[in-house]
Amino acid sequence: MSFLSLSRRSFGSLNAASSSVARAYSTKAPPASASLSASKQKLIPTSGSYPKGFLVSGISSHVKKSGAKDLALITSPKYPCSAAAVFTKNVFQAAPVVASRERLHDNGGKAIHGMVTNSGCANAVTGAKGLENAKEMLEALDAVTGHRRSSLVMSTGVIGQHLKMDKILQGIQESKSHLGDQHEHWMDCAQAYMTTDTFPKLRSKVFQLPESKVEYRMAGITKGAGMIHPDMATLLGTIVTDLGVEPGLLQYALTHAVDRSFNAISVDGDMSTNDTVALLANGGATEGKIVVDQLTSKDFEAFRENLTEFAQELSQLVVRDGEGATKFVKVSVEGAPSFEAAKTVASTIATSSLVKTALYGQDANWGRILCAVGYSGVKEIDPKKVSVSFIPTDNSAPLKLLVNGEPEEVDESRASEILKMEDLEIRVELNGGTEKTAYWTCDLSHEYISINADYRS
């Protein structure tokens, strides 16, 4: 993502695991919540604390054949927002990416009053007509908020198809009467982002800053389940806060947060044409006043860390909903010579198809992990210093697989117990420095193939 401006050895016995929730393809309805597993049901919030000054909605414009919600508005009609964004690095950048990038550049990251998002059609690889349509969506949202040249746009869905603009434009106008600031409005909005997602991904939080006694709020929506890999991929995210932040600092904070969250997840290693994470700060908690305007202030540092933790929580929901996934896996790399080296090693492990299939097969094949560490390209690695462990999530003792380059006698039954868990951690200690990082991924199953072999049906 680029920055603005500037086995069990046989899978046959695991068929039951691959027959989980049927996916919602980009033109189909999302699954009924009753069909979700208990672990996913817990991820859907029943209430929230939402930033002041934002009004949101989510409706069906009937772009999706199913009639499911497909058009989301996030607006700040009273207070202008500082805005920042990161976009896909894919050369084939979708029209909404181009249009939003241009708007942010032209506005200098200021005076943004809204975001419109449609799902079901990506408006990607659609030529001059696609860009014209994206800009027409911007103008339509400007009319809703009453502020010219003040909107951003995102789209997600099938690539290579033109938007049904008559439905989109009518939907934007109709959305005006559905805008609100209650939990149900935010939930409607999150549902309208969904494509192959099996549940809406919505989070909110309350936070304070060390130099201010004001209570601030942050809310975020993301979507994505497949074509997910750092630098973004069929992944959209919008985070808003009622804290007032200077635009340049907002971009700086978002870049830091995304490097440690949305750019630290992978489902399948594919990068999309539409990826965007946007951050809007309207200052609504202080009647529009900019509170954070100094890079060296304690308030900025606290905001950046709050944002990073929040972005990590949001991005991990994408991995938990990975297409066909049965496991949520944290890859921790410690003792690296640099943050970049730690991230490179973690990314290489997390995107290895052999590692991911072994996780699905509940096979403690640590050799695949070590192999990925070895071909990661980090030259400072000393094989005699590397240790690898499985860390269970039930607070029981870690299972050491390799210690200082020497293999341990692995208790296969204990390894099987850990690998049956839905959540687990792979920890790699390089013992070559002080830097560390984490990466989040999932396993690779039969269902992933079934979903993506039939995506456009």
Side-chain angles (χ1 to χ4, degrees):
M1 189 192 311
S2 64
F3 309 120
L4 177 69
S5 76
L6 324 155
S7 59
R8 242 169 249 142
R9 286 115 182 131
S10 170
F11 290 140
S13 61
L14 294 177
N15 285 337
S18 66
S19 60
S20 56
V21 177
R23 287 277 165 174
Y25 300 103
S26 61
T27 57
K28 296 179 182 178
S33 59
S35 67
L36 291 178
S37 65
S39 59
K40 285 188 176 181
Q41 288 276 10
K42 293 179 182 178
L43 299 174
I44 302 174
T46 56
S47 63
S49 297
Y50 299 104
K52 296 178 181 179
F54 286 96
L55 301 176
V56 304
S57 65
I59 70 165
S60 172
S61 68
H62 301 286
V63 166
K64 291 179 180 175
K65 297 176 183 177
S66 66
K69 293 182 179 69
D70 56 21
L71 188 65
L73 266 57
I74 296 177
T75 69
S76 177
K78 182 177 180 181
Y79 304 114
C81 299
S82 298
V86 289
F87 300 100
T88 182
K89 287 181 181 177
N90 195 304
V91 173
F92 289 97
Q93 297 194 352
V97 169
V98 175
S100 289
R101 189 193 299 273
E102 288 180 357
R103 177 56 51 80
L104 280 171
H105 178 269
D106 292 348
N107 285 30
K110 302 176 182 178
I112 297 299
H113 284 272
M115 167 79 76
V116 56
T117 302
N118 77 276
S119 60
C121 177
N123 191 16
V125 197
T126 47
K129 180 64 175 176
L131 185 56
E132 179 183 324
N133 288 341
K135 292 182 176 180
E136 199 170 352
M137 290 176 68
L138 294 179
E139 293 173 0
L141 183 55
D142 287 349
V144 170
T145 63
H147 301 275
R148 294 185 65 250
R149 303 185 61 79
S150 70
S151 301
L152 303 176
V153 60
M154 298 193 297
S155 299
T156 182
V158 178
I159 294 171
Q161 296 181 359
H162 284 291
L163 289 167
K164 298 175 183 178
M165 288 305 294
D166 55 338
K167 295 182 178 181
I168 292 287
L169 295 178
Q170 182 178 344
I172 293 174
Q173 184 60 38
E174 290 180 358
S175 293
K176 189 172 183 178
S177 63
H178 293 268
L179 291 167
D181 60 3
Q182 299 302 300
H183 175 70
E184 56 265 30
H185 297 106
W186 282 93
M187 186 59 70
D188 286 344
C189 190
Q191 289 172 348
Y193 272 63
M194 295 169 62
T195 54
T196 61
D197 308 69
T198 63
F199 65 90
K201 300 171 178 64
L202 169 66
R203 285 293 180 269
S204 65
K205 71 178 293 185
V206 176
F207 66 101
Q208 289 185 304
L209 301 180
E211 297 176 355
S212 171
K213 295 182 180 180
V214 177
E215 190 175 75
Y216 301 102
R217 292 172 173 81
M218 189 179 295
I221 294 171
T222 190
K223 63 80 53 186
M227 206 184 286
I228 304 296
H229 185 60
D231 294 328
M232 307 303 296
T234 309
L235 186 153
L236 302 181
T238 306
I239 300 173
V240 302
T241 180
D242 55 14
L243 170 67
V245 185
E246 188 273 331
L249 296 184
L250 199 70
Q251 184 68 58
Y252 187 90
L254 182 63
T255 297
H256 178 93
V258 167
D259 269 347
R260 291 156 178 78
S261 57
F262 289 98
N263 275 357
I265 62 173
S266 186
V267 170
D268 50 20
D270 277 335
M271 185 197 305
S272 175
T273 54
N274 289 58
D275 308 325
T276 304
V277 172
L279 172 59
L280 306 180
N282 73 352
T286 52
E287 295 297 322
K289 178 184 176 182
I290 297 292
V291 173
V292 178
D293 58 3
Q294 296 293 326
L295 179 64
T296 57
S297 69
K298 292 181 181 179
D299 277 359
F300 173 73
E301 184 178 353
F303 166 64
R304 186 186 66 181
E305 294 314 305
N306 270 285
L307 177 64
T308 299
E309 292 173 3
F310 190 69
Q312 286 176 343
E313 184 178 359
L314 265 180
S315 64
Q316 288 169 30
L317 294 176
V318 175
V319 179
R320 289 190 179 279
D321 201 23
E323 290 175 348
T326 68
K327 300 190 184 306
F328 175 81
V329 183
K330 179 181 180 181
V331 180
S332 299
V333 175
E334 301 177 353
S338 66
F339 171 77
E340 291 75 16
K343 190 171 181 181
T344 296
V345 172
S347 172
T348 306
I349 296 169
T351 57
S352 166
S353 295
L354 290 178
V355 171
K356 290 161 74 70
T357 51
L359 289 168
Y360 176 66
Q362 300 174 13
D363 181 4
N365 192 339
W366 57 265
R368 295 182 178 183
I369 300 170
L370 199 63
C371 182
V373 174
Y375 68 69
S376 67
V378 175
K379 297 179 181 179
E380 299 92 338
I381 293 174
D382 182 347
K384 294 179 181 179
K385 294 182 177 180
V386 177
S387 299
V388 180
S389 304
F390 285 150
I391 311 298
T393 54
D394 61 358
N395 296 318
S396 58
L399 179 65
K400 295 181 179 180
L401 307 170
L402 183 79
V403 177
N404 294 324
E406 295 290 334
E408 295 286 290
E409 280 207 34
V410 177
D411 182 339
E412 291 288 344
S413 61
R414 174 62 178 148
S416 179
E417 288 177 1
I418 295 173
L419 290 171
K420 285 178 181 178
M421 297 178 182
E422 186 174 339
D423 289 22
L424 68 136
E425 177 184 347
I426 298 170
R427 183 176 297 168
V428 176
E429 299 166 87
L430 299 179
N431 296 310
T434 59
E435 294 294 325
K436 63 182 179 179
T437 195
Y439 216 93
W440 295 272
T441 190
C442 57
D443 55 351
L444 187 60
S445 70
H446 297 298
E447 191 189 356
Y448 177 86
I449 298 171
S450 299
I451 291 165
N452 286 283
D454 192 35
Y455 180 74
R456 294 200 305 165
S457 65

